[in-house]
Amino acid sequence: MAAPRCPFPSLLLLALLALSAPALLRVRADGGEDARKTYIFRVDHRAKPSVFPTHERWYASAAFASSPDAAPLEPLHVYGTVFHGFSASVPASRAAELRRHPAVLAAFEDRARPLHTTRSPQFMGLRARLGLWSLADYGSDVIVGVLDTGVWPERRSLSDRNLPPVPARWRGGCDAGPGFPASSCNKKLVGARFFSQGHAAHYGASAVASNGSVEFMSPRDADGHGTHTATTAAGSVAYEASMEGYASGVAKGVAPKARVAAYKVCWKGAGCMDSDILAGFDRAVADGVDVISVSIGGGSGVTAPFYLDPIAIGAYGAVSRGVFVATSAGNEGPTSMSVTNVAPWLATVGAGTIDRNFPAEIVLGDGRRLSGVSLYSGKPLTNSSLPLYYPGRTGGLSASLCMENSIDPSLVKGKIVVCDRGSSPRVAKGMVVKEAGGAAMVLTNGEANGEGLVGDAHVLPACAVGEKEGDALKAYAANASNPTATISFGGTVVGVKPAPVVASFSARGPNGLVPEILKPDFIAPGVNILAAWTGATGPTGLEADTRRTEFNILSGTSMACPHASGAAALLRSAHPGWSPAAIRSALMTTAVVTDNRGGPVGEEAEPGRAATPFDYGAGHITLGKALDPGLVYDAGEEDYVAFMCSIGYEPNAIEVVTHKPVSCAAAAASGSDLNYPSISVVLRGGNQSRTVTRTATNVGAQASATYTARVQMAAGSGVSVSVKPERLVFSPGARKQSFAVTVAAAPSGPPAAAPVHGYLAWSDGGGGHEVRSPVVVTWLQPM
């Protein structure tokens, strides 16, 4: 296979290693060349001999064995909907033999992926009995599949009270298992399945609870993440909801009447195996879901090419069958080029704040007051002032981070302990302090997190502060002769300004794999989100946390993703004929880039700095406008195939994704020409100009409409953008119109290395529509 063009020099070596044919069967040195590993095999399903009634029988037969002496395969999963092939645990030598089988198109090693770990529907513009909620009947005819850690079915957020019958087209089922009878499903939770084969092959069959934690060999959620994401997307209305008093009110998902189908592909403490994720995609599409929500991703930086990425492959199979797929962008922000899940058929969702906060205040012995956040709900500090201690002064790096067994109990007993953020979970640091005898904790951000704050339900009185406040606190602890402090907790505050701002942890662009596609696509609420929680663990997720809560408050792009999934469910219900690309387009072109003060959306990590499309994509989704976007930028299989051709993928590599033979034109178009709602233009070397095309489809109520273009780029950028034609005239016989966008740099040459941002907006004047696309121009030198 030929490697796709790799635009960033820092990625070249890794890309070449990842894309070369021998690397399709990567073998780690730590396990020995013939160590047994799990591989995923993409098979040409048309090659099955007719004598075999099913593909599963063929894969397990002697006829498919790699040699006459080889034992028949024992597939872990057999895929037949979004992907054709199987996964199996075999020695590396056997995998290499199978790779040479004439029907095997590709093979890649299974790997584990991490999870990307109320008021938010209203913050996105939803109102009871009005607009999208009313028109879509709150999503009652739509089924949202959630690939995650399972579900806790007894929660009120999964009640089917007052719901109509399950849509007749639903083909799913309810897998029974320990603690999860088939009767756990209802008209709300219409399906629940679990996939453990890849997990068991990787960690061992007895590893489900080998870390000492509770886990269930069933769809039941021992972790909490899956219950939270499922009910964020489509939780039923639950009154008097709160997390131990915080965020009290009425909890409901974005699409509160949509049905939920839970696919447990992730296991507590072990992450999610690619082979199980792919099986979840395969089953969800076969069951008949309309939307798939995937708060799972790879690590920061290099992203695998699409034909080696099971999430991209599974999602393509789903999208090609009309299923909308939303994925989380990742939590590696604010690092540049950290965004993951970047395939153009996916909706990639970053995280923003909402106008709600949970303030805490630290009062120092010298009278200064420092602001922080906390979800601590236990007994308040009884003393007006306690000794303040920072272990990092004398204990080294491990002590400064409050790692396990790093703190001397004799030095912290009865004191407020200052801990630096990083290396271990935030809540785990609080447990370390508590077990060492500390009275309270202040968690301080460093440069990596800046001023971005996340509330946690700590096991002792504790709060988090930003980098500046943390530096001031540690300086006081170091220089005062008798440093003291106290912490007070402010409960829940709404109407916070500014909001939204881009969450500090939200992964950032540019797209490290294909810079011509701007990612993330948009941001959605992802900070301090209230939703239902498992009954198997406390709100911190720590084994030592014996508290149990019906709801929990979490932050992450994992929380932002189901907001987009729920939004897509509402749009699918309101516009059942729209494609997944049209739904994504409506969310993108109506997104907002201003906050609730009327200023530009800013950066949580750097207050006062305006965010850019690399941070928020098209902006923050707002569903009041997405219902009627005016125009959409649609795309389908032919467009995505042409796109993959344009970035240098060979037809046999593309076939791994598409499941059908493809051919590439002799002169492939640019990746920038994909009919995407955002416009990202890459000027390479001395090339000072580039023209890209787009096609807009009129989906407005008025078939006859005229739209006029308006372009705005940053002043002094040295870039001009022109649109031809400048007016698009639609009629009943002409619902689609194409246009060209030409980006040109000043004759004096490209400006500084920083990309240039702006936007293109199409307006129909009195019709009330403004269809907005971010425009990003980047210069790259040839490699």
Side-chain angles (χ1 to χ4, degrees):
M1 295 180 185
R5 187 172 63 248
C6 180
F8 295 99
S10 62
L11 304 185
L12 177 60
L13 179 58
L14 287 174
L16 290 175
L17 289 173
L19 304 179
S20 60
L24 289 175
L25 294 173
R26 296 184 298 275
V27 179
R28 295 194 306 267
D30 59 359
E33 190 168 311
D34 246 13
R36 183 175 288 270
K37 302 183 182 70
T38 300
Y39 296 87
I40 300 170
F41 297 90
R42 165 73 172 93
V43 179
D44 182 354
H45 61 289
R46 296 160 301 177
K48 179 182 72 67
S50 59
V51 67
F52 295 102
T54 66
H55 285 83
E56 184 172 9
R57 294 281 294 274
W58 179 36
Y59 301 148
S61 72
F64 198 89
S66 50
S67 67
D69 299 329
L73 292 167
E74 298 180 4
L76 301 173
H77 293 294
V78 173
Y79 312 107
T81 304
V82 302
F83 183 83
H84 289 286
F86 62 93
S87 62
S89 180
V90 296
S93 58
R94 179 79 183 275
E97 292 174 359
L98 287 167
R99 178 64 184 86
R100 294 189 289 271
H101 192 289
V104 173
L105 300 177
F108 40 95
E109 189 178 329
D110 202 6
R111 63 170 178 148
R113 293 174 183 253
L115 292 159
H116 288 156
T117 299
T118 194
R119 182 175 172 81
S120 49
Q122 287 84 346
F123 190 72
M124 295 193 299
L126 292 170
R127 296 293 183 270
R129 296 183 295 278
L130 295 172
L132 188 52
W133 260 349
S134 176
L135 183 61
D137 189 27
Y138 300 85
S140 66
D141 58 344
V142 176
I143 301 165
V144 180
V146 182
L147 273 59
D148 213 293
T149 63
V151 71
W152 196 267
E154 292 81 12
R155 292 307 186 208
R156 288 184 293 155
S157 296
L158 293 168
S159 167
D160 65 355
R161 183 179 180 182
N162 296 327
L163 282 180
V166 176
R169 57 189 166 78
W170 176 241
R171 301 180 296 274
C174 204
D175 290 349
F180 199 96
S183 59
S184 299
C185 293
N186 57 23
K187 290 184 294 183
K188 178 67 174 182
L189 180 62
V190 298
R193 301 185 185 277
F194 67 101
F195 304 87
S196 61
Q197 293 92 324
H199 172 272
H202 187 80
Y203 293 102
S206 61
V208 170
S210 63
N211 58 3
S213 64
V214 174
E215 186 48 285
F216 305 95
M217 188 57 70
S218 75
R220 185 169 291 279
D221 180 13
D223 180 271
H225 192 276
T227 302
H228 197 281
T229 56
T231 56
T232 297
S236 298
V237 174
Y239 295 95
E240 298 182 357
S242 74
M243 199 290 293
E244 298 195 329
Y246 284 98
S248 60
V250 180
K252 52 184 171 292
V254 177
K257 287 188 178 180
R259 317 311 171 101
V260 172
Y263 297 85
K264 183 174 179 178
V265 299
C266 306
W267 297 81
K268 186 174 182 179
C272 328
M273 298 305 298
D274 278 343
S275 58
D276 293 335
I277 294 170
L278 195 54
F281 267 112
D282 206 56
R283 187 68 259 175
V285 174
D287 286 346
V289 302
D290 301 294
V291 174
I292 294 179
S293 190
V294 188
S295 292
I296 305 167
S300 172
V302 179
T303 302
F306 303 137
Y307 55 82
L308 295 182
D309 181 354
I311 290 181
I313 294 169
Y316 184 94
V319 168
S320 67
R321 289 163 174 79
V323 179
F324 181 92
V325 180
T327 59
S328 48
N331 294 340
E332 302 299 326
T335 304
S336 177
M337 208 189 300
S338 55
V339 64
T340 187
N341 291 326
V342 298
W345 44 87
L346 297 168
T348 308
V349 191
T353 64
I354 62 174
D355 61 343
R356 181 178 65 195
N357 199 14
F358 309 105
E361 186 176 62
I362 304 164
V363 181
L364 303 183
D366 61 8
R368 283 183 291 165
R369 295 174 180 271
L370 307 180
S371 297
V373 299
S374 179
L375 293 170
Y376 173 71
S377 59
K379 294 181 180 179
L381 292 175
T382 55
N383 294 344
S384 59
S385 187
L386 290 171
L388 185 69
Y389 177 70
Y390 176 47
R393 285 195 62 199
T394 58
L397 178 61
S398 181
S400 71
L401 294 166
C402 296
M403 304 295 286
E404 191 172 359
N405 299 319
S406 68
I407 298 177
D408 185 345
S410 66
L411 298 177
V412 303
K413 184 175 178 60
K415 298 178 181 178
I416 297 177
V417 181
V418 180
C419 299
D420 291 334
R421 184 173 171 180
S423 297
S424 64
R426 300 181 301 271
V427 291
K429 298 175 189 295
M431 184 63 75
V432 169
V433 171
K434 181 180 180 180
E435 291 178 344
M441 178 186 72
V442 179
L443 186 64
T444 65
N445 280 0
E447 182 179 359
N449 301 107
E451 303 307 312
L453 296 178
V454 175
D456 292 300
H458 289 286
V459 295
L460 82 172
C463 74
V465 298
E467 181 185 13
K468 292 179 182 178
E469 306 277 52
D471 288 346
L473 181 67
K474 286 183 282 190
Y476 169 71
N479 297 321
S481 58
N482 182 31
T484 61
T486 190
I487 306 174
S488 62
F489 304 95
T492 303
V493 175
V494 297
V496 172
K497 295 182 178 181
V501 298
V502 181
S504 61
F505 57 77
S506 186
R508 306 305 207 266
N511 183 336
L513 187 62
V514 188
E516 290 89 350
I517 300 297
L518 179 65
K519 291 288 183 174
D521 290 311
F522 44 74
I523 60 173
V527 179
N528 295 332
I529 303 302
L530 178 78
W533 188 242
T534 177
T537 189
T540 63
L542 299 173
E543 295 304 319
D545 186 357
T546 58
R547 297 172 296 173
R548 295 295 182 265
T549 60
E550 183 182 4
F551 296 90
N552 201 2
I553 295 173
L554 300 180
S555 298
T557 55
S558 277
M559 284 65 251
C561 174
H563 279 87
S565 305
L570 293 175
L571 289 175
R572 170 55 56 83
S573 184
H575 300 289
W578 281 10
S579 70
I583 292 173
R584 180 184 56 201
S585 177
L587 293 171
M588 291 177 67
T589 61
T590 60
V592 297
V593 294
T594 54
D595 60 28
N596 56 3
R597 301 180 305 180
V601 169
E603 276 274 13
E604 184 186 34
E606 298 181 49
R609 184 176 84 80
T612 76
F614 284 152
D615 305 315
Y616 55 56
H620 190 283
I621 59 175
T622 173
L623 298 184
K625 295 181 179 180
L627 172 64
D628 180 19
L631 307 177
V632 296
Y633 297 98
D634 209 351
E637 289 190 79
E638 290 185 4
D639 303 286
Y640 296 132
V641 168
F643 165 78
M644 287 187 277
C645 290
S646 76
I647 62 173
Y649 287 7
E650 295 290 343
N652 61 343
I654 298 173
E655 187 179 345
V656 174
V657 178
T658 63
H659 321 145
K660 61 183 67 172
V662 301
S663 60
C664 292
S670 163
S672 295
D673 284 318
L674 178 65
N675 202 39
Y676 214 69
S678 56
I679 299 173
S680 178
V681 176
V682 179
L683 299 179
R684 289 180 167 82
N687 187 359
Q688 298 298 300
S689 141
R690 181 78 182 159
T691 298
V692 301
T693 60
R694 292 291 187 271
T695 298
T697 302
N698 181 17
V699 295
Q702 299 300 320
S704 296
T706 300
Y707 283 78
T708 303
R710 184 178 80 257
V711 176
Q712 181 172 320
M713 301 298 290
S717 64
V719 171
S720 66
V721 176
S722 60
V723 182
K724 291 185 179 180
E726 295 181 347
R727 295 173 72 244
L728 299 178
V729 180
F730 298 91
S731 66
R735 303 292 296 234
K736 295 178 181 287
Q737 295 290 348
S738 297
F739 60 91
V741 179
T742 299
V743 174
S748 58
V756 174
H757 311 111
Y759 67 86
L760 161 66
W762 290 99
S763 174
D764 64 351
H769 298 108
E770 181 168 284
V771 186
R772 190 179 185 281
S773 295
V775 177
V776 178
V777 184
T778 308
W779 283 265
L780 293 176
Q781 296 302 317
M783 293 185 295

